[in-house]
Amino acid sequence: MIEERIPYHDEKAWEEYIAQLSHLYVKIEGVLRLRDWLLEEAGDRTVDALLKENKIWEKVLFGGLNEDGIAKNGLARFYSEILGFGITREDMERIVSYLKEGIDLESASSGVKPKLVRTNFTDLLRSMRENLVEIFDELGRKPPTVGEISLSSPMTGPQVVGELLSAAKELLPLFNPMSCFIVSICSTPRFYLEKSYSKLFTEDVQELLRQYGIVLEDVILPDLPLERERKRRAVVGLKPGTVGHRIYKVILDCYRLFQIWELGDFFGVEDEFEKYLKVYSERLKDTIPLDELKNVYRAITSSYSYNDDFNSLRVPDPFRVYKRNATINGGKLKFESGPQNGVNYTEFIAFIAPLAFCGFAVLEGQDNKINCQVIMGWES
């Protein structure tokens, strides 16, 4: 049973999950504090002064130096491209030109000061930290205490970033059943959730989930006359601004970490989102009866225009993302472009339900309008 594999109804499991989020926060804070330490320790001093003070700066600022500059996987490139601390390209080119003239490193770097700049990596970490702090605040908990960070070795930087990547990977849905649960309830037809999670809508479980800020609301309500069927065929999802929705954003950010191409030069990272799509593609092939729901499939994929990003995540070939807008009128769903006679709403949610449950689709609704992002390519 799925309740045994995904203990969404177990308070102990949620406490352990919050502990994992806390662990991620500690690792993020450690990286950002190390970056701040580098700037504070360097102060307003020039590179030659730093080199005279401690040889550790030579590795941080010039590790991997050759006649062409810093090697692709050089330690200095890690500090500059990942943490944003280092010597500008123009200054490095000038220093290298001096070295080629036989001038020693200290003299060649005289008057040059290291700079601190923003990087994709550090910007993402700040976003993750902000969401995690909001999660702790909503839960009435203080963020975990983080100890002092300093550069005890040139490899301290790669070490703390490596630990962060490990903490982030542990939260990805392929490895974490609670993250899998969060993704599955982001915006999914209610009937499918009732079938998949038999205890989800019981009062006891709903009360437990609310205790941890996991709040579901109606995302799309179909235009059907029977209230019972209207509720059953609704799409429900995580309420924006709640802990659950923020956790969903943290999970997406964890995936984004593994799509920062610069990290690949220093760590054996793979695109974890691509791995996830490939694993779940095989499951979806056995779940969605394309022959029976071909009208919906054609309506979604009828546009020749598609994207390669899903919730700001890069989606590789053979996958493609269709972003469609539609209107509900009675039992029909009419797309802005595509079949003019529309598709049956019930068939649409039958098609989209397993995709949304597996994180291959997200839906938003307002009044009778629907916006959806759907990842296709799994069917080929």
Side-chain angles (χ1 to χ4, degrees):
M1 291 290 291
I2 200 166
E3 273 85 2
E4 296 174 359
R5 292 187 286 110
I6 302 180
Y8 63 90
H9 47 80
D10 184 350
E11 183 173 359
K12 181 182 177 182
W14 283 109
E15 282 297 322
E16 291 173 351
Y17 190 59
I18 299 302
Q20 288 180 300
L21 292 172
S22 298
H23 180 63
L24 176 66
Y25 172 86
V26 169
K27 297 306 177 183
I28 290 172
E29 188 68 14
V31 173
L32 293 176
R33 287 194 183 189
L34 176 62
R35 185 173 183 268
D36 292 339
W37 183 93
L38 287 167
L39 181 63
E40 292 172 7
E41 191 68 13
D44 197 42
R45 286 174 290 177
T46 57
V47 172
D48 57 311
L50 293 172
L51 295 177
K52 290 175 183 175
E53 177 188 292
N54 193 329
K55 286 299 181 182
I56 200 171
W57 291 109
E58 183 174 343
K59 293 293 186 181
V60 170
L61 297 171
F62 296 104
L65 180 65
N66 57 37
E67 62 180 10
D68 298 316
I70 304 297
K72 185 177 180 181
N73 61 347
L75 191 57
R77 191 177 292 274
F78 166 84
Y79 280 98
S80 62
E81 294 187 356
I82 304 302
L83 297 186
F85 177 84
I87 298 171
T88 66
R89 179 178 299 178
E90 295 77 11
D91 285 339
M92 185 63 74
E93 288 176 352
R94 186 166 61 254
I95 290 170
V96 170
S97 70
Y98 288 153
L99 293 175
K100 289 179 178 179
E101 295 298 322
I103 299 173
D104 65 274
L105 185 58
E106 285 187 14
S107 301
S109 56
S110 176
V112 175
K113 294 180 180 179
K115 299 289 192 299
L116 190 70
V117 299
R118 293 170 57 179
T119 68
N120 292 335
F121 177 72
T122 56
D123 283 350
L124 180 56
L125 292 197
R126 286 196 183 90
S127 172
M128 296 174 75
R129 178 174 63 181
E130 181 180 343
N131 273 314
L132 287 166
V133 168
E134 290 290 341
I135 288 169
F136 299 136
D137 185 57
E138 288 292 324
L139 292 174
R141 308 184 187 199
K142 293 183 178 179
T145 302
V146 180
E148 293 297 320
I149 301 293
S150 63
L151 197 72
S152 57
S153 156
M155 294 306 296
T156 298
Q159 178 183 337
V160 296
V161 172
E163 291 173 357
L164 164 63
L165 293 174
S166 295
K169 188 171 182 177
E170 289 174 2
L171 280 165
L172 296 178
L174 277 182
F175 313 102
N176 193 304
M178 303 305 277
S179 290
C180 188
F181 173 72
I182 291 292
V183 168
S184 73
I185 62 172
C186 178
S187 58
T188 304
R190 182 183 177 110
F191 82 90
Y192 201 84
L193 291 178
E194 289 176 341
K195 179 181 176 182
S196 302
Y197 301 125
S198 63
K199 300 177 183 178
L200 177 58
F201 293 101
T202 63
E203 186 53 42
D204 288 347
V205 171
Q206 283 295 300
E207 177 60 32
L208 173 64
L209 294 180
R210 285 192 292 269
Q211 178 183 331
Y212 287 93
I214 315 298
V215 181
L216 295 176
E217 67 173 6
D218 291 328
V219 176
I220 299 168
L221 280 171
D223 183 14
L224 298 173
L226 295 176
E227 181 62 27
R228 183 184 63 185
E229 286 304 312
R230 190 166 179 255
K231 183 176 181 180
R232 183 173 179 272
R233 301 185 201 188
V235 174
V236 299
L238 295 166
K239 185 176 181 179
T242 61
V243 169
H245 196 262
R246 290 188 182 279
I247 291 175
Y248 177 70
K249 292 198 288 187
V250 169
I251 293 169
L252 294 181
D253 283 342
C254 286
Y255 276 127
R256 289 189 187 100
L257 276 175
F258 293 93
Q259 291 191 337
I260 296 177
W261 63 267
E262 293 96 338
L263 287 171
D265 292 333
F266 310 101
F267 303 94
V269 298
E270 300 176 273
D271 186 337
E272 294 294 335
F273 190 58
E274 179 179 6
K275 287 168 61 176
Y276 176 85
L277 294 178
K278 288 179 177 179
V279 169
Y280 273 85
S281 288
E282 296 304 314
R283 303 181 188 184
L284 287 170
K285 287 177 184 178
D286 299 327
T287 304
I288 300 177
L290 281 178
D291 289 341
E292 297 176 24
L293 300 172
K294 58 186 177 183
N295 288 340
V296 180
Y297 174 78
R298 290 171 180 167
I300 292 174
T301 62
S302 61
S303 171
Y304 289 107
S305 175
Y306 54 84
N307 302 79
D308 61 0
D309 73 280
F310 178 81
N311 272 338
S312 299
L313 288 172
R314 188 170 62 250
V315 175
D317 289 335
F319 302 103
R320 54 198 183 278
V321 182
Y322 291 90
K323 299 181 180 182
R324 310 301 302 273
N325 301 321
T327 303
I328 303 176
N329 187 6
K332 285 285 186 180
L333 195 71
K334 204 164 188 178
F335 290 95
E336 287 185 356
S337 61
Q340 292 304 303
N341 57 345
V343 297
N344 180 276
Y345 174 80
T346 299
E347 290 183 354
F348 171 75
I349 62 169
F351 180 88
I352 213 74
L355 290 167
F357 187 82
C358 293
F360 277 59
V362 289
L363 300 99
E364 298 176 345
Q366 185 174 8
D367 299 326
N368 67 333
K369 303 291 187 182
I370 294 177
N371 301 319
C372 63
Q373 295 183 57
V374 186
I375 299 176
M376 303 300 290
W378 49 268
E379 75 281 8
S380 57

